[in-house]
C-alpha cells in the first residue's frame, strides 16, 4: 500500500470537527442537564393521575373541617382539583415564555440552575400540604414547578443543541423527550397503591421531585456553559474554547471554534433580534412559523386525549380497574422503548421523514380507532382491536412527533434569535397543552368517542403541512439551514 493511499484512508476514517463520537464528558453533560430538567416536566405531568381519588377525599375533609364539620360540596372539590392539575400547564406557559430572557441573562446552563431553585420551593410546599391541611400549598407548588418545567422545556433542548456535534444533534436532542417518558412511567409506578399511592404517603409522592433537583445541583456545575453562549453573548473566546475542548475530550477544536467565530462576526452586522424583527423578517418569520406549527402539531395530535381515553378503552375490553392500570403502565413502557429507538432513527432517517411517518401513522390509526369505538360495546374482538390501536398510536407518536419538536427549534435559528424563538415556540406548546387539558373533557362529554374525529381532521392537516413546509435539517450546518430560508425569502 502506498504512503499517499494510507494518508487518504486515515483522512476518511478520522472524524471531522462536526462528525464526533459520543465521549464520557459529553455524556455526563447530557445526563446532568436532561435528567434534572426533563424529569420535572414528565413526572409532574403524570404524578397526579394515580392518587387523584385520595387527594380529592383529603380536600373534601379539609373543606369539611374548615366549615365546622359540614360535608364538602363535591363540585367544589372537583373544581379545586381541576385547578391544581391545570395550574401546572399555566405555570409552564409562563416559564416557556420567559425562556429567552433567562437564557440571555443567565446562560443555558446558568438558567437551568436558577430554574432548579424553584424545584426546592415546590417540593417543600407540596410535601407539607397535608401536615398543614392546606390544598392551597399544592396549587402554589404545582404552579411553581410548572414555571420550572416550562423553562426547562426551552433551556435544555437549547443547551443540548449547542453542546452537541452536528452528527449527534438529533440523537442528543431526543434525550429530553426520552427522560420525559421515563419520568411519566416512574410517576405511574410510584403512584401504585402498594408503593406511594396511599392516603398517608401521597405527599411523599408529590415531594420526590426534590431528588432530580438535588442531582442537577450536584452534577451540572461541573459542566461548561454552552460554548456558543460563552463566545457570542459573553465575548469570552478562550473560555468558550476551553468549554468546547472539555465537551469534545480533545484540544483539536479549531475548526468548530472558527465556525462559531464566523457566526459571531456575521451577527455583529445584524441588529438585535426583537419580537418585531422576528415577526417581520422573512429569514426569521418562516422558521418561527414552522417552529410554532410543529409545537401545535405535537399537542393537538390527540396524544393527550388517547392517553386519557386509554383507561376507558381498557375497561371496555373487560379489564378490571387493576388490569387497566397495569395496561396503562405497559403503554408507558412502550412509549419509553419507542422514544429510545427514535434516538437512533433520527440520525439515520432524518427529522422530516420521522415526522411524516409519525403523523401519517397517527392519522390512519385515529381513523380506525374512531370506527372501532363505534362498535366496541359488547364486541370482544373490536374491544381488543381498540387496545392494539391505542398502543400503535403511542408508538407512532414516540417515533418522531414526541421528541423532534423540542430540538427542531434550536436547529432552525442562530444564537441571536434562538432564545426568543424558543420562548415563543415553547410558550405555544404549553398553551396548547393547557387548552387541550381544559377542552377535551367537555368535548368528550358532548361527542363521546366521536371526539376523535376532530383529531382525524387535524392530523390530516398536519401531515400536509410537514410535507409542504418543514425542511430536513439532518447533517446540515447552521449556515446551510439559513440558506434554505434565504432562498425561500427570495421566492
Amino acid at each position: 500500500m502506498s504512503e499517499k493511499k494510507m494518508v487518504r484512508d486515515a483522512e476518511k476514517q478520522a472524524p471531522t470537527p462536526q462528525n464526533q463520537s459520543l465521549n464520557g464528558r459529553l455524556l455526563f453533560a447530557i445526563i446532568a442537564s436532561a435528567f434534572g430538567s426533563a424529569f420535572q416536566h414528565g413526572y409532574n405531568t403524570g404524578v397526579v393521575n394515580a392518587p387523584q381519588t385520595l387527594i380529592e377525599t383529603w380536600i373534601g375533609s379539609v373543606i369539611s373541617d374548615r366549615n365546622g364539620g359540614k360535608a364538602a360540596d363535591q363540585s367544589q372539590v372537583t373544581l379545586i382539583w381541576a385547578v391544581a392539575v391545570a395550574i401546572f400547564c399555566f405555570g409552564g406557559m409562563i416559564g416557556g415564555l420567559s425562556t429567552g430572557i433567562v437564557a440571555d441573562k443567565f446562560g443555558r446552563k446558568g438558567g437551568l440552575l436558577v430554574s432548579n431553585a424553584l424545584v426546592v420551593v415546590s417540593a417543600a410546599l407540596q410535601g407539607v400540604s397535608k401536615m398543614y391541611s392546606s390544598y392551597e400549598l399544592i396549587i402554589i407548588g404545582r404552579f411553581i414547578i410548572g414555571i420550572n418545567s416550562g423553562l426547562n422545556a426551552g433551556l435544555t433542548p437549547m443547551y443540548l443543541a449547542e453542546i452537541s456535534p452536528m452528527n449527534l444533534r438529533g440523537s442528543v436532542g431526543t434525550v429530553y423527550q426520552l427522560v420525559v417518558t421515563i419520568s411519566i412511567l416512574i410517576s405511574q409506578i410510584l403512584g401504585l397503591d402498594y408503593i406511594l399511592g396511599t392516603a398517608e404517603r401521597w405527599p411523599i409522592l408529590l415531594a420526590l421531585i426534590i431528588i432530580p433537583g438535588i442531582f442537577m445541583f450536584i452534577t451540572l456545575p461541573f459542566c461548561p456553559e454552552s460554548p456558543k453562549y460563552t463566545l457570542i453573548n459573553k465575548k469570552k473566546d478562550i473560555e468558550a474554547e476551553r468549554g468546547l475542548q472539555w465537551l469534545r475530550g480533545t484540544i483539536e477544536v479549531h475548526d468548530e471554534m472558527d465556525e462559531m467565530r464566523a457566526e459571531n462576526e456575521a451577527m455583529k452586522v445584524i441588529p438585535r433580534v426583537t419580537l418585531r424583527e422576528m415577526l417581520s423578517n422573512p429569514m426569521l418569520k418562516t422558521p418561527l412559523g414552522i417552529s410554532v406549527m410543529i409545537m401545535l402539531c405535537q399537542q393537538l395530535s390527540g396524544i393527550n386525549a388517547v392517553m386519557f381515553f386509554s383507561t376507558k378503552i381498557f375497561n371496555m375490553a373487560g379489564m378490571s380497574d387493576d388490569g387497566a392500570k397495569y395496561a396503562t403502565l405497559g403503554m408507558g413502557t412502550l412509549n419509553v422503548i419507542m422514544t429510545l429507538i427514535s434516538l437512533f432513527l433520527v440520525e439515520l432517517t432524518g427529522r422530516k421523514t420521522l415526522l411524516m411517518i409519525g403523523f401519517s401513522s397517527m392519522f390512519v390509526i385515529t381513523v380506525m380507532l374512531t370506527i372501532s369505538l363505534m362498535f366496541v360495546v359488547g364486541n370482544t374482538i373490536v374491544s381488543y382491536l381498540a387496545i392494539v390501536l391505542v398502543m400503535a398510536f403511542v408508538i407512532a407518536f414516540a417515533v418522531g412527533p414526541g421528541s423532534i419538536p423540542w430540538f427542531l427549534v434550536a436547529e432552525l435559528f442562530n444564537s441571536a434569535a434562538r432564545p426568543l424563538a424558543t420562548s415563543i415556540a415553547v410558550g405555544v406548546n404549553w398553551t396548547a397543552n393547557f387548552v387541550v387539558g381544559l377542552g377535551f373533557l367537555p368535548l368528550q362529554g358532548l361527542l363521546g368517542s366521536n371526539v376523535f374525529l376532530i383529531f382525524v381532521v387535524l392530523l390530516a392537516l398536519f401531515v400536509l403541512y410537514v410535507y409542504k413546509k418543514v425542511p430536513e435539517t439532518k447533517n446540515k450546518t447552521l449556515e446551510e439551514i439559513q440558506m434554505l430560508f434565504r432562498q425561500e425569502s427570495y421566492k
Side-chain angles (χ1 to χ4, degrees):
M1 184 183 291
S2 68
E3 185 176 340
K4 288 183 178 180
K5 189 174 187 303
M6 289 174 66
V7 171
R8 284 198 302 269
D9 289 344
E11 288 174 346
K12 288 179 182 178
Q13 292 172 8
T16 64
Q18 288 286 358
N19 187 26
Q20 305 280 343
S21 59
L22 187 66
N23 64 73
R25 288 180 176 179
L26 178 59
L27 181 61
F28 180 83
I30 292 167
I31 294 172
S33 57
F35 176 74
S37 59
F39 191 96
Q40 306 297 353
H41 186 163
Y43 187 85
N44 288 286
T45 298
V47 74
V48 291
N49 293 331
Q52 176 178 347
T53 305
L54 295 171
I55 299 178
E56 283 184 330
T57 302
W58 170 75
I59 291 172
S61 69
V62 171
I63 295 172
S64 178
D65 290 342
R66 292 179 182 180
N67 293 334
K70 182 182 176 182
D73 185 81
Q74 186 56 42
S75 61
Q76 184 183 2
V77 173
T78 302
L79 177 61
I80 291 170
W81 177 248
V83 170
V85 173
I87 201 78
F88 173 68
C89 289
F90 186 70
M93 290 161 50
I94 294 174
L97 292 170
S98 306
T99 301
I101 298 170
V102 174
D104 282 337
K105 183 173 179 60
F106 299 104
R108 286 52 162 157
K109 167 194 159 183
L112 284 171
L113 289 170
V114 169
S115 173
N116 200 42
L118 299 175
V119 176
V120 179
V121 179
S122 176
L125 291 173
Q126 295 186 81
V128 302
S129 57
K130 187 179 180 185
M131 183 191 307
Y132 288 99
S133 298
S134 174
Y135 53 77
E136 292 88 353
L137 292 180
I138 294 179
I139 294 173
I140 297 170
R142 280 186 59 79
F143 175 68
I144 291 172
I145 201 63
I147 296 174
N148 165 264
S149 298
L151 284 167
N152 291 343
L155 291 169
T156 306
M158 200 186 307
Y159 181 69
L160 293 176
E162 293 183 358
I163 67 172
S164 306
M166 184 177 65
N167 63 306
L168 296 178
R169 216 168 46 205
S171 295
V172 173
T174 305
V175 170
Y176 182 84
Q177 179 65 13
L178 176 63
V179 177
V180 169
T181 60
I182 291 171
S183 55
I184 290 174
L185 180 60
I186 290 173
S187 73
Q188 292 171 337
I189 294 171
L190 293 177
L192 292 172
D193 52 16
Y194 55 84
I195 304 180
L196 293 178
T198 68
E200 296 77 29
R201 292 195 288 263
W202 62 257
I204 300 174
L205 184 68
L206 300 183
L208 277 180
I209 55 175
I210 191 67
I211 294 176
I214 293 171
F215 174 83
M216 179 183 280
F217 276 136
I218 293 173
T219 58
L220 194 57
F222 289 102
C223 305
E225 178 56 84
S226 158
K228 279 196 174 184
Y229 174 82
T230 304
L231 176 67
I232 295 173
N233 293 68
K234 292 298 185 182
K235 312 300 180 187
K236 297 180 178 178
D237 190 290
I238 296 175
E239 190 176 324
E241 186 166 0
R242 285 174 182 164
L244 194 59
Q245 289 172 348
W246 190 94
L247 290 163
R248 298 293 177 262
T250 176
I251 60 172
E252 298 298 325
V253 294
H254 308 299
D255 289 344
E256 238 181 308
M257 282 299 300
D258 287 344
E259 284 185 18
M260 287 196 291
R261 290 179 184 122
E263 182 183 345
N264 187 32
E265 290 301 316
M267 286 167 53
K268 288 180 180 177
V269 299
I270 303 172
R272 184 174 178 271
V273 178
T274 61
L275 181 60
R276 183 177 180 179
E277 176 78 6
M278 183 74 72
L279 297 176
S280 61
N281 187 335
M283 285 279 293
L284 299 172
K285 184 171 64 174
T286 301
L288 179 66
I290 292 170
S291 301
V292 167
M293 273 302 300
I294 288 299
M295 289 297 192
L296 287 174
C297 291
Q298 184 196 64
Q299 287 299 328
L300 301 181
S301 65
I303 184 63
N304 292 328
V306 168
M307 291 292 231
F308 175 83
F309 214 74
S310 62
T311 302
K312 186 172 182 179
I313 293 171
F314 297 149
N315 286 328
M316 286 177 178
M319 288 185 178
S320 64
D321 288 342
D322 283 342
K325 195 180 294 182
Y326 286 112
T328 302
L329 287 179
M331 194 165 66
T333 304
L334 193 62
N335 196 8
V336 172
I337 293 170
M338 289 310 302
T339 305
L340 183 60
I341 292 172
S342 75
L343 187 146
F344 300 99
L345 289 177
V346 72
E347 295 298 355
L348 292 174
T349 60
R351 286 66 155 152
K352 182 171 184 173
T353 303
L354 285 187
L355 286 173
M356 284 296 297
I357 291 172
F359 284 126
S360 300
S361 301
M362 291 165 76
F363 168 74
V364 174
I365 293 164
T366 307
V367 170
M368 295 174 67
L369 183 61
T370 305
I371 296 170
S372 67
L373 290 176
M374 295 176 183
F375 306 99
V376 72
V377 179
N379 192 320
T380 305
I381 296 176
V382 176
S383 64
Y384 280 108
L385 173 63
I387 292 175
V388 172
L389 290 172
V390 168
M391 298 291 187
F393 190 94
V394 172
I395 291 172
F397 178 79
V399 162
S403 57
I404 292 173
W406 294 116
F407 67 84
L408 186 65
V409 183
E411 290 191 324
L412 297 180
F413 293 91
N414 62 29
S415 297
R418 192 173 292 133
L420 179 57
T422 301
S423 282
I424 296 170
V426 173
V428 166
N429 185 287
W430 281 93
T431 303
N433 191 358
F434 183 66
V435 170
V436 171
L438 284 181
F440 177 72
L441 278 179
L443 284 172
Q444 191 256 320
L446 186 66
L447 301 174
S449 60
N450 291 328
V451 71
F452 288 105
L453 288 172
I454 297 172
F455 299 112
V456 169
V457 175
L458 288 173
L459 284 165
L461 294 174
F462 296 159
V463 171
L464 186 63
Y465 181 84
V466 172
Y467 177 73
K468 291 282 189 181
K469 294 293 185 179
V470 177
E472 181 54 72
T473 57
K474 173 192 170 187
N475 287 338
K476 284 187 171 65
T477 64
L478 177 64
E479 179 56 36
E480 289 170 334
I481 294 169
Q482 295 296 303
M483 183 65 71
L484 293 174
F485 297 124
R486 195 174 295 121
Q487 292 169 349
E488 184 71 23
S489 66
Y490 290 142
K491 289 182 180 179

